[in-house]
Amino acid sequence: MRIIGKLNYDFVDKMGGAMRISIALAVISIASLLYHQGPNWGVEFTGGTEIHIKLAKSLETNVLKGELAESGFPSESVQRFGLPGDNEHLIQFAPELATFDQIGDFQKSLEDLFAESENFQGASIQRIDYIGPRVGKELITKALLSILIACVGILGYLVLRFEFGFAVGAVIALIHDTLITVGAISLADKEFTLAIVAALLTVIGYSVNDTIVIFDRIRENMGNFPEKGFRELVNDGISQTLSRTLLTAITVFIVLVPLFFLGGSVIHDFAFTLMVGVIIGTYSSVFVASAFVVYWRKRKETI
Amino acid sequence: MKGVSRLWITVIALFSFLCVILLTPTFMGDKLPSWWGKVFSSKGISLGLDLEGGIFLLLGVETEEGIEQEMLIVEEALVSKFREGRILVKNSSVSDGTLTIGLFPGADMDKALEIARDEFEEVADINSEGFLVRLSIKPSYVDELEQNSIERVRHIIENRVKDFGLVEPSIQKSGDDRILVQVPGASKKDRQRIVNLIKKTAVLEFKIVRAVGASRENLVAATESENEKQVREKGLAIHEGDTGNQNERFFLTERLASVTGEYISDARITFDNYGNPAVGFTFRGEGASKFGKLTESNIGERLAIVLDGVIKSAPTIQDKITYQGTITGTFTPEEAKDLALILRSGSLPVPVRVEQERTVGPSLGQDSIEKGRFSMIVGGILVLVFMVFFYRLQGVVANAALVLNILFIMGFLSAFGVTLTLPGIAGLVLTLGMAVDGNIIIFERIKEELVAGKTAVHSIETGYARSVWTILDANVTTLLTALILFWLGTGPIKGFAATLSIGIVSTVFSNLIVARVFTNMLYRDKKLTEVSI
């Protein structure tokens, strides 16, 4: 069974239009990041305290925040976590609102509140996270550094294995994917945590993986059919690998969907990031990475 | 069709057998027969705190304070050496690891420098300017001091946590100047006690009380000083009191203690005359004689027992005491027990601060494991079904390879002692999706060859041969990112990276070797004319 038979589709012809889509998505991502004043950094990065609670029944975040304020909780924000049916919330304290030594008191008064208030019957504290300011700064540096080093490492490997233009194309595609995925996280107003950084790095790995399979085929065709024009070679390469490109995206998606819906609140955002990343990564292998290679060849030939 | 490689079959069988043995403890849990541990390892995959529940604390060690203390010691020693050498000291101060001693004009600077160099050349750079002698601590000595105090702090905290009687706590050095404490299975109730246990510097001092007051200001005035700095310059200190007596809020004592808790050989919970919990302690050798001298010459005076700068009790000395003493105060039995434990383990040479905490309730951990496992099973089954639906018999081959792949990954996780964390489970699930990618690349290539009219045997051969480099290139880059994550990441991220790295290596093996061997076995005896794909 084949999902895609022999294709004569002119991908290169559509690359100009795709570029507009990519630019539009990138602009939306940057606009969203600017509007939200950067990523919604999780407590791991900003420092502060986060208490993850699970309620027995559904409660509006406003009501929740009000009740907390009444019982002497100067929380900075309360947000829903996971799927709506989970009834899980994150209560956050800015570093200046809660020092480490106060957490014990907060924990106690929260447990008292759970025991007294009707709204909180059956509620429980799931997790307490405290991040000191120094660790937060270090983690941001490390997260950005790891993404940067990953890009450089991949570029280095690709330069060794492919022509320079291919390597640059793959790296542009992965920057494109990272930016748009971060934009999607920002648009969905999700917290940017360490797990999200891990997910982003996985997206980078996936995106490059996908790009390489196409590049490999283009390169193989270049050797086998030196008489063909570059444009045709790229079109052939993309067409020949297209069913693999789609099938792999589908299988990865097949495992991500249960993760997204059934994996529990903590894994939920991780799965969301990967889902967006897989779609963008698949698209960019064809319409960003390959498109750049075509552009790069053209420039080289005209010079 | 080429024959089946005996070598690879043996390797695959061996790996499978090994992994089954490695994983038996993970799945059998407590039902493991007792002889198992004698023959094989009885340790299964270890779960991270986010899955098991427990407390994770990252401690920063205030090594700067240790350096400050060290320079104060140098100050005291050098000033007295100068006095012995009849060099007149005008003033001295310590800041940022530099000791500055001002001498009166006309002082013998050559002699002063000689004394300083004799004593402290190894630990500090020494120079002079006018009538100032300056000692700047050497960076190499700072390193030595820091490493020393971190190791001591780690050791003391280890003693405290182990003494507390919790299951398998782990206390390790993390990075250059941090200590990571992990206590799996600790409940939220234990949280505060564990935090107190670890954070308490526990410097115990014994000082003679000079005056008692209701406020700091009263005591400052009583010494005819303007502020507390002047009080300190007079060799005195003001301490807060926590003796339970509302009239005795603050105490005036001498600044330096003549006896400290470093001489304590044992401490335990006991009860005072009214039946309230208290902490009894015993001095050893030198401490006993010092304590005897202090109490003997101050009979009738009050002795302040100062813990971390706060006066816990201030009994009147009735008689000379040498070996034994009791700290009374307002303790709950738990507090008294913990304080005794802390005193036994000794005081921290420098304070620690908590840089990061994660306390995970056991219910969240349980929930995460169950949901992680469930979503993994659902995802796995969907992939298996999809592959058979799409690739028929070759799909079955891919599935067999996938199942073995999962077995290998879990086996290696267990063998390398990788801690499985929640992101790790997510990484594992993702590997499920990515694992069949290699099979898809190969199968699509085989299909292409078949469509191009090649024979079945030739198609399979070419499909595998042509895909080798594609699969390697594609996976090397992912492995590269995983290794970077492993290198830079901490805690859960490291677990994720380790899981991903093992997953990639095992996946390439299963794509290129296992699936190939299975395909060959399948078509071994037939004259291959048609491939079910």
Side-chain angles (χ1 to χ4, degrees), chain A residues 1 3 101 104 125-126 128-130 132 134 138 157 161 202 216-217 220 243-244 247-248, chain B residues 178 188 192 199 353 355-359 361 364 390-391 430 437 444-445 447-448 470 473 485:
Chain A
M1 196 156 110
I3 50 166
D101 292 321
I125 298 177
Q126 301 273 327
I128 300 172
D129 264 334
Y130 165 82
R134 288 193 210 190
E138 276 174 30
Y157 181 78
R161 296 278 308 147
T202 316
D216 219 63
R217 200 53 180 266
E220 191 187 320
S243 61
R244 173 268 159 192
L247 282 170
T248 297
Chain B
R178 297 217 171 97
K188 277 172 286 168
Q192 199 59 49
K199 273 195 73 187
R353 62 173 185 276
E355 299 259 23
Q356 186 179 357
E357 180 206 345
R358 167 162 280 197
T359 299
L364 179 64
F390 235 87
Y391 292 112
L430 190 69
D437 177 51
E444 288 302 310
R445 199 60 191 248
K447 277 184 186 173
E448 257 182 67
T470 311
D473 275 337
L485 265 184

Side-chain angles (χ1 to χ4, degrees), chain B residues 225-252:
Chain B
S225 314
E226 283 166 20
N227 51 37
E228 281 201 56
K229 194 167 176 257
Q230 286 187 8
V231 175
R232 274 198 296 279
E233 277 166 8
K234 287 181 177 147
L236 299 167
I238 298 173
H239 289 285
E240 209 178 305
D242 182 25
T243 58
N245 185 339
Q246 287 305 311
N247 300 323
E248 303 178 341
R249 298 286 295 280
F250 294 95
F251 290 81
L252 183 70

